[in-house]
Amino acid sequence: MKTKCTHRQTERAIALAMGVAVLSLVAGTQTARALEVVSVEPAAHSLLAPTNASIVVHFDRPLNTSSVVALRSFWAFGRWSGTATGSFTFFNGDMSVRLDPSAPFSAGEQVMVILSQDLEAADGSTLRAAGYSFQFWTRAGLASREFAQVQQLTTRTTSPVSSRAYGGIATDLNNDGFLDVTIVNEDTADLRVFLNQADSNGTLSPFEQPTTPVGNRASPNEPSDFDRDGNADLAVANINDDTVSILLGNGDGTFGPQQVLSTGTQPRGLAVLDADGDGDVDIVVTNAVSSDVSLYLNDGTGVFTVDPRFEGGGNGEWALAAGDMDDDGILDLVIGARSSQTIVVNRGNGDGTFTSLSTQSSGGATWMLNIADVNGNGTEDVAAINSSGNNGAILLGVGDGTLGAPQTYATDSFGIATDLGDLDGDGDLDWVTSSFGGDWMLFVNDGSGNFTFDQRFTAPSAASCCLMLDVDNDGDLDLALIDEIADVVLVMENVGSPAVPAASTWSLVLLSIGLLVAATLVVGKGQCRRGGRGRCGVRVV
């Protein structure tokens, strides 16, 4: 039986349908799916990126290409080579973008890539508010792990006056493509910059004068490009002053006046990351005595504001590093809590806040830690140095932000520094520990995160830090060993010819066959390539 709708019923039905449509439209707008990163190249945590690597990001939909802005919404910083500038190429229907750096990265360094919340798709959707960050390492060349001292530098102006050369960085400060060494001095409260002579001999000039003032008992430090002007900057924590100094680089090895901000009591660890997804680099500091963490948010120009301090999840927060421990494209904090002898992972929420995720024994009272993939399984691990236990510890990551139990290795007494780098060029990271009561010790990685003691480097007085850097630009990693009592830097060049692997002959044969096949395919495709690395239909900006 058919029914008839009255005029009033029809009006009500139409009004109801319109209301549902409007509500659906509003709901759809409110729940519009954000632009998503599908994959990146080089892969996050990779250890084998070539120094001339391009950085590629694939998205789930076409981009609004005008939203991709160098040094703003998409950029990268090599810890040693500095800011990566270059051109962008869009392909795959504008769903993929490639940054071709204008200069190579340095061998064996870590690179941080930052995508901001300002990236926009052609349909008007934007990247999530947390942005997206990932890190990878460049490959170091094959080397023999035979080292010869080529230089001994002093950090003193006059012999009897100690500078207390506690730590340093190896970042290129004058943009000449050669790595410089900057030493942080506790007693003289300054930075002393040794510029590379850029002659490929691995020699450094005496430190620049006047020196750069920082705070009393300056110690933890990290480089970045805080004002995104293409020049490397530094952040340094000052233990006795309870402050952090931010120094913006001029691009010639000098710095502008320091910006000084208050911390908690006795800052001992410092890390840099984009904590709130806005595309600039923020600073985090651990405070040992107040047992908490300080966050400094960047306004994009290298000017920072102090956020309220927060609990780090342990007792006596000391060591600190940033890395993506749960593979969500947001960098997390890993804290070494010295008093509770724990390693605490704090998940980055991408909005300038952090949530305690996991806690694991550190194997001792941690002084310093590093984050990297030491067993080659594509997830981040932790290498810590424990001063009171006279040991170092390797904690393997699971990939969800949790860590396995520490595997400890005996070191000299009172270990205070841990550093990772591929010193033999075999594709995994080796480990150097520094001990105030002893020497520098080198442990070789078997590729699975198991380490074997290889050799020691005798300290004149007290080993405090090791920089792994390609000081002579020959493609392998050298060492700059810092002694805080003798106030010297020993520059050790990686010399000798690496052993040729037994399978190398077959590898060369297979490589030759592969190149021949590739050449044949290229010829068969005809003249399709345009403009260097561009491809047909590809737009370069």
Side-chain angles (χ1 to χ4, degrees):
M1 177 175 137
K2 294 182 180 179
T3 59
K4 295 182 180 180
C5 291
T6 66
H7 180 66
R8 183 172 294 178
Q9 288 174 327
T10 302
E11 287 180 339
R12 288 176 179 174
I14 293 173
L16 180 61
M18 291 178 65
V20 171
V22 169
L23 288 174
S24 299
L25 179 62
V26 171
T29 301
Q30 290 178 340
T31 60
R33 190 164 54 90
L35 174 67
E36 294 182 9
V37 173
V38 174
S39 62
V40 298
E41 305 167 32
H45 322 309
S46 168
L47 307 175
L48 301 174
T51 55
N52 64 346
S54 297
I55 299 171
V56 181
V57 181
H58 302 284
F59 294 90
D60 67 340
R61 70 199 75 173
L63 289 168
N64 172 1
T65 58
S66 65
S67 73
V68 180
V69 181
L71 295 178
R72 291 297 180 268
S73 62
F74 183 163
W75 65 291
F77 184 85
R79 192 162 187 261
W80 293 159
S81 58
T83 307
T85 58
S87 61
F88 290 106
T89 301
F90 300 92
F91 59 101
N92 190 28
D94 291 344
M95 293 175 66
S96 301
V97 57
R98 181 176 70 232
L99 170 61
D100 294 316
S102 55
F105 296 109
S106 188
E109 72 167 331
Q110 189 179 53
V111 178
M112 180 185 294
V113 182
I114 298 174
L115 308 177
S116 86
Q117 58 198 214
D118 298 318
L119 283 174
E120 185 177 313
D123 64 7
S125 60
T126 58
L127 193 64
R128 63 186 179 185
Y132 193 97
S133 295
F134 67 99
Q135 299 179 105
F136 65 86
W137 292 68
T138 58
R139 182 158 202 160
L142 288 172
S144 61
R145 298 198 315 273
E146 297 175 33
F147 295 88
Q149 182 177 319
V150 296
Q151 201 172 15
Q152 178 172 304
L153 306 167
T154 180
T155 60
R156 297 180 182 179
T157 50
T158 56
S159 184
V161 179
S162 169
S163 69
R164 194 82 177 204
Y166 182 71
I169 65 162
T171 305
D172 179 9
L173 297 180
N174 58 358
N175 300 314
D176 64 353
F178 288 82
L179 304 186
D180 310 304
V181 171
T182 302
I183 301 300
V184 180
N185 299 280
E186 289 188 343
D187 288 355
T188 51
D190 63 3
L191 305 179
R192 303 195 170 187
V193 176
F194 298 83
L195 292 178
N196 197 309
Q197 293 184 5
D199 56 7
S200 298
N201 291 323
T203 52
L204 302 166
S205 299
F207 63 83
E208 299 287 293
Q209 296 195 50
T211 61
T212 302
V214 286
N216 186 12
R217 205 176 171 200
S219 182
N221 57 89
E222 280 293 331
S224 190
D225 186 354
F226 298 122
D227 56 358
R228 296 179 292 181
D229 65 350
N231 299 322
D233 311 313
L234 296 181
V236 181
N238 309 302
I239 299 170
N240 286 0
D241 287 351
D242 299 335
T243 62
V244 60
S245 298
I246 295 103
L247 301 112
L248 303 182
N250 296 319
D252 59 1
T254 66
F255 300 90
Q258 62 176 321
Q259 179 186 173
V260 180
L261 300 172
S262 63
T263 67
T265 309
Q266 286 203 15
R268 286 287 188 169
L270 189 150
V272 296
L273 73 162
D274 181 8
D276 54 3
D278 62 357
D280 55 40
V281 176
D282 309 304
I283 299 171
V284 181
V285 172
T286 46
N287 307 300
V289 173
S290 56
S291 191
D292 54 20
V293 182
S294 299
L295 171 65
Y296 307 89
L297 291 177
N298 192 345
D299 71 354
T301 68
V303 176
F304 293 80
T305 56
V306 183
D307 262 28
R309 301 201 303 269
F310 63 92
E311 169 59 40
N315 186 13
E317 285 85 343
W318 193 288
L320 179 65
D324 190 358
M325 303 301 294
D326 56 359
D327 290 320
D328 63 353
I330 303 172
L331 297 193
D332 311 303
L333 300 178
V334 178
I335 298 171
R338 184 170 168 77
S339 299
S340 57
Q341 298 193 13
T342 53
I343 302 291
V344 183
V345 178
N346 279 253
R347 176 191 282 124
N349 298 319
D351 59 358
T353 66
F354 298 87
T355 302
S356 183
L357 181 61
S358 67
T359 301
Q360 177 61 273
S361 168
S362 59
T366 301
W367 193 281
M368 179 181 172
L369 59 82
N370 315 121
I371 299 175
D373 179 11
V374 300
N375 63 350
N377 69 344
T379 61
E380 298 282 48
D381 311 306
V382 174
I385 189 75
N386 301 313
S387 60
S388 64
N390 299 333
N391 66 50
I394 300 295
L395 296 87
L396 299 180
V398 178
D400 60 358
T402 60
L403 297 168
Q407 182 178 356
T408 60
Y409 297 80
T411 66
D412 284 346
S413 62
F414 211 93
I416 56 175
T418 165
D419 294 280
L420 295 169
D422 188 0
L423 291 173
D424 47 17
D426 64 352
D428 56 44
L429 298 178
D430 306 304
W431 186 23
V432 174
T433 62
S434 307
S435 297
F436 183 81
D439 303 318
W440 298 277
M441 297 175 65
L442 167 58
F443 297 83
V444 176
N445 192 345
D446 69 355
S448 299
N450 302 307
F451 291 84
T452 303
F453 172 72
D454 180 67
Q455 59 184 299
R456 72 173 56 239
F457 305 96
T458 302
S461 298
S464 67
C465 183
C466 168
L467 302 176
M468 300 186 190
L469 74 162
D470 183 9
V471 71
D472 52 5
N473 272 19
D474 66 350
D476 59 32
L477 284 179
D478 310 301
L479 301 175
L481 306 175
I482 303 168
D483 187 309
E484 67 175 289
I485 299 300
D487 285 334
V488 296
V489 181
L490 308 180
V491 181
M492 312 288 290
E493 187 176 358
N494 208 337
V495 298
S497 301
V500 179
S504 63
T505 301
W506 278 110
S507 299
L508 289 173
V509 170
L510 292 174
L511 177 61
S512 299
I513 294 172
L515 291 173
L516 180 61
V517 171
T520 303
L521 290 174
V522 169
V523 171
K525 285 185 176 181
Q527 302 297 319
C528 187
R529 298 179 64 86
R530 301 177 186 171
R533 287 198 272 187
R535 294 187 289 176
C536 291
V538 172
R539 293 184 288 133
V540 180
V541 295

